[in-house]
Amino acid sequence: MAAMTREETEALIQEVLEVYPEKARKDREKHLAVNDSSLEKANKCITSNRKSLPGVMTVRGCAYAGSKGVVWGPIKDMIHISHGPVGCGQYSRAGRRNYYVGTTGVNAFGTMNFTSDFKENDIVFGGDKKLSKIMLEIEQLFPLNKGISIQSECPIGLIGDDIEAVAKKATKETGKPVVPVRCEGFRGVSQSLGHHIANDAIRDWVLENRDGDDSFPTTPYDVAVIGDYNIGGDAWASRTLLEEMGLRVVAQWSGDGTLAEMEKTPKVKLNLIHCYRSMNYIARHMEEKYSIPWIEYNFFGPTKIAESLRKIAALFDDTIKAGAERVIARYTAEYEAVIAKYKPRLEGKRVMLYIGGLRPRHVIGAYEDLGMEVVGTGYEFGHNDDYDRTIKEMGNATLLYDDVTGYEFEEFVKRVQPDLIGSGIKEKYIFQKMGVPFRQMHSWDYSGPYHGYDGFAIFARDMDMTINNPCWKNIKAPWKNQVANDEAVKAVA
Amino acid sequence: MPSVMLRKREDGKLIFYVAKKDLEETIESLEFDSPDKWGGEVVLGDGSKYAFEILDAPPKIPLTLQAKRL
Ligand code: SF4
């Protein structure tokens, strides 16, 4: 299908909106837009970070998911208690594939689920006593934990428990940091506020722990990787590049990260932000308090990687600048071979994305490196500043959809007919049944890493494997496939 | 009175950021910006206007300040 013009795209949006009652239509209209890459600011064309409409299918998560699932969960040597009923933690357990090294249950706890398992009694009489007891149990059963975070689920805020007091008491008893996080699911409009609350909790309860302690030897090349959750090993694939160019990665936030790394982060020279949405808050705070500058970078696809490596190196001396060039040169043959192999198979294919924090804009470059084109993109929980950064990356007259509803997304796909959709598990089976190739782009569909040069090779292979899979030809029942039938008849005759 | 975080962008422009409002805008003009007087009315990239208290020296940036919406 040929690219749609601006008018066609606008007409499509209007057509899709038609089925809504008037009030809903007015609201949803603001969240759907045709991209105009000449705009400086996204707020002229799209509204974001607003409450989802009741009655439509949204795929957003809650603040607890943003704090426990995204920001705190991957910190492997701390125990994160899902404080409240058992479901919130159990149904989200280990689903995000944040890889880590360590022995689970001994010195790392990433894939385990700790919960206070609230029952009616706890709701009526309060759960603070139970929480204190849990902390003691944790100390006995898992003595190598480095600290505890209390991730509040909805009921905690509703019944007014004082988890801060319990946390302070526990810290006194065990001598380890215990961090209460007020990330009850009902706060805010999506998981996004959970990220912010989690960042604030780190600021208030962790970051200052080593202020005034200079025992950690620093170098002029210390950096921290912020907002890389090591999904399928992403942070490792990124870290090797940074280290190869001569930088020292002091901390990983928070994939395969530790409490000690977070405490040491105020000593670094530069913060590198991959997922801007979930961790810009802490970077801004460190810039103000510790004068640590931060920059955003993008390690998806060779074009963006080279751009980012040079941008990072520009903030250091000539050895690092030379290091960046050396790294790019070293991997050139490797990624050129990947492009030579897959580009002919993927060239011209059109992709629609609908994902979370950084990927709706960050992966565009990787697709373009393979000759593919992103024709629609949107964020589940993006803010204005995310769309500001997106309009420049997307082609003119492409679709932008914020907090898209199940219905809208299906209709867009029917009309735009992309060759590939990249979105989440809730969308996956719907679109596969519609016969559209699909990649789950939150946790890389059980694959990865996709960051760095190593990740790009895997990314290219996965996209090829999905799009050019022979199964898509067999989606339609053979007797419904008129063209194929005619050809078969011709062949027989 | 929103809390505003001021920072310098890579290109040297001042950025006006209000986390609660999700507002990230460039500062297009600042009423007083000299070594002995700083602050007053600011005009943002989107045309909205705020005011800082007037200080007797330019502050160290990045910094969080209170601003009044005009
Ligand atoms: S909204 Fe509340 S009950 Fe639901 S998962 Fe989030 S914290 Fe749990």
Side-chain angles (χ1 to χ4, degrees):
Chain A
M1 214 184 110
M4 302 209 313
T5 62
R6 168 164 297 274
E7 288 71 37
E8 282 170 342
T9 318
E10 258 157 25
L12 169 61
I13 293 178
Q14 287 313 324
E15 200 185 306
V16 167
L17 284 169
E18 235 159 56
V19 299
Y20 287 129
E22 186 168 336
K23 219 172 138 202
R25 178 165 60 228
K26 270 209 187 116
D27 181 276
R28 286 304 307 159
E29 201 170 12
K30 297 183 214 145
H31 295 263
L32 306 174
V34 187
N35 189 38
D36 178 352
S37 35
S38 66
L39 284 180
E40 267 307 318
K41 288 306 230 172
N43 55 10
K44 301 223 162 60
C45 71
I46 198 160
T47 307
S48 53
N49 198 26
R50 292 282 183 280
K51 193 168 154 291
S52 305
L53 269 184
V56 301
M57 282 268 256
T58 168
V59 297
R60 283 175 161 177
C62 67
Y64 159 83
S67 176
K68 157 69 172 49
V70 176
V71 175
W72 282 97
I75 300 166
K76 62 181 175 179
D77 60 355
M78 287 180 81
I79 283 175
H80 312 287
I81 302 176
S82 295
H83 190 36
V86 65
C88 314
Q90 184 57 20
Y91 289 117
S92 61
R93 185 176 75 88
R96 229 162 136 259
R97 303 179 62 246
N98 316 96
Y99 284 7
Y100 57 88
V101 272
T103 308
T104 303
V106 178
N107 62 359
F109 310 94
T111 50
M112 294 172 78
N113 178 28
F114 293 85
T115 175
S116 43
D117 188 18
F118 262 39
K119 294 280 179 273
E120 219 171 317
N121 248 349
D122 303 309
I123 302 285
V124 177
F125 298 108
D128 285 345
K129 276 214 189 81
K130 196 173 192 181
L131 187 59
S132 303
K133 199 168 146 220
I134 290 171
M135 310 255 198
L136 293 178
E137 265 175 41
I138 286 178
E139 270 310 297
Q140 283 168 1
L141 292 171
F142 305 100
L144 294 186
N145 80 75
K146 295 283 161 55
I148 294 172
S149 79
I150 304 164
Q151 307 286 335
S152 313
E153 294 165 7
C154 286
I156 307 306
L158 297 173
I159 62 177
D161 272 10
D162 189 358
I163 56 170
E164 285 81 6
V166 180
K168 282 197 183 121
K169 194 171 128 248
T171 306
K172 244 190 232 137
E173 282 166 9
T174 61
K176 293 177 186 173
V178 178
V179 184
V181 190
R182 282 287 178 185
C183 56
E184 288 89 348
F186 55 75
R187 295 186 198 273
V189 299
S190 66
Q191 53 267 64
S192 187
L193 189 67
H195 304 143
H196 198 156
I197 293 170
N199 277 235
D200 289 353
I202 296 177
R203 177 193 70 197
D204 296 340
W205 297 80
V206 176
L207 220 52
E208 295 173 349
N209 289 2
R210 292 187 63 153
D211 280 7
D213 165 7
D214 292 325
S215 58
F216 177 64
T218 58
T219 75
Y221 303 128
D222 289 355
V223 296
V225 170
I226 310 259
D228 191 327
Y229 299 104
N230 205 28
I231 289 163
D234 276 346
W236 295 330
S238 308
R239 184 184 181 124
T240 48
L241 299 181
L242 296 169
E243 287 178 341
E244 247 178 83
M245 71 191 259
L247 297 172
R248 186 170 81 145
V249 180
V250 171
Q252 272 173 225
W253 291 53
S254 53
D256 195 31
T258 61
L259 178 65
E261 286 174 35
M262 290 209 292
E263 289 172 345
K264 275 182 237 158
T265 306
K267 321 265 180 222
V268 303
K269 300 292 179 297
L270 177 68
N271 278 324
L272 303 172
I273 314 274
H274 209 246
C275 180
Y276 170 85
R277 179 72 277 131
S278 59
M279 285 204 172
N280 78 83
Y281 316 102
I282 200 76
R284 287 176 196 274
H285 171 72
M286 281 193 261
E287 182 176 45
E288 184 173 355
K289 181 153 182 209
Y290 302 99
S291 312
I292 305 171
W294 55 276
I295 58 165
E296 295 167 55
Y297 71 107
N298 178 355
F299 269 2
F300 286 102
T303 311
K304 289 289 171 189
I305 297 174
E307 218 171 79
S308 300
L309 287 177
R310 292 195 175 112
K311 189 166 130 194
I312 295 167
L315 299 170
F316 290 92
D317 59 16
D318 287 347
T319 47
I320 302 293
K321 283 184 197 130
E325 294 307 322
R326 201 176 53 235
V327 173
I328 296 166
R330 198 193 132 191
Y331 288 96
T332 303
E334 205 173 284
Y335 74 71
E336 277 176 352
V338 171
I339 293 177
K341 180 168 175 193
Y342 292 108
K343 196 167 177 180
R345 298 168 63 84
L346 296 171
E347 183 119 55
K349 300 283 189 207
R350 297 153 72 250
V351 189
M352 277 174 88
L353 300 170
Y354 178 58
I355 344 177
L358 73 160
R359 292 164 181 166
R361 64 172 178 277
H362 266 41
V363 296
I364 295 173
Y367 282 113
E368 286 174 351
D369 284 334
L370 292 168
M372 299 163 77
E373 189 195 349
V374 179
V375 293
T377 198
Y379 295 82
E380 274 173 34
F381 50 85
H383 296 201
N384 262 332
D385 37 358
D386 291 299
Y387 286 97
D388 286 347
R389 290 161 169 79
T390 311
I391 39 184
K392 292 270 166 269
E393 304 277 338
M394 289 288 286
N396 248 330
T398 50
L399 264 173
L400 292 178
Y401 29 82
D402 177 70
D403 184 24
V404 78
T405 68
Y407 159 76
E408 290 161 14
F409 200 15
E410 276 173 47
E411 291 305 306
F412 286 150
V413 166
K414 280 184 201 155
R415 282 290 296 278
V416 177
Q417 294 187 351
D419 301 290
L420 177 73
I421 299 173
S423 190
I425 195 71
K426 301 191 221 53
E427 295 80 44
K428 178 171 176 174
Y429 300 104
I430 297 165
F431 289 120
Q432 286 191 339
K433 284 174 186 171
M434 280 165 68
V436 189
F438 188 97
R439 286 300 299 182
Q440 201 264 86
M441 292 295 278
H442 290 273
S443 61
W444 306 146
D445 238 340
Y446 318 103
S447 180
Y450 283 176
H451 291 180
Y453 291 111
D454 294 343
F456 178 64
I458 298 167
F459 174 83
R461 181 205 65 189
D462 286 354
M463 296 309 139
D464 173 49
M465 182 167 92
T466 306
I467 293 180
N468 294 315
N469 194 310
C471 73
W472 304 118
K473 291 199 201 86
N474 298 321
I475 289 272
K476 238 190 195 164
W479 58 90
K480 284 191 180 155
N481 201 339
Q482 204 47 51
V483 188
N485 266 351
D486 291 349
E487 268 167 25
V489 171
K490 249 186 257 160
V492 171
Chain B
M1 287 263 278
S3 260
V4 179
M5 193 177 242
L6 288 178
R7 69 182 295 257
K8 263 212 174 71
R9 202 162 64 181
E10 285 115 71
D11 61 4
K13 266 223 155 146
L14 266 185
I15 301 290
F16 186 100
Y17 175 73
V18 187
K20 279 246 167 65
K21 289 223 167 93
D22 211 5
L23 173 80
E24 193 186 35
E25 275 290 348
T26 51
I27 291 187
E28 295 304 328
S29 76
L30 181 62
E31 196 177 353
F32 303 108
D33 191 7
S34 56
D36 58 342
K37 203 174 187 193
W38 187 97
E41 197 179 299
V42 279
V43 182
L44 303 186
D46 64 354
S48 57
K49 285 184 189 157
Y50 288 79
F52 290 124
E53 219 172 283
I54 294 170
L55 308 173
D56 0 308
K60 198 174 138 280
I61 284 168
L63 180 75
T64 302
L65 278 177
Q66 300 295 320
K68 228 188 17 239
R69 209 192 154 123
L70 297 180

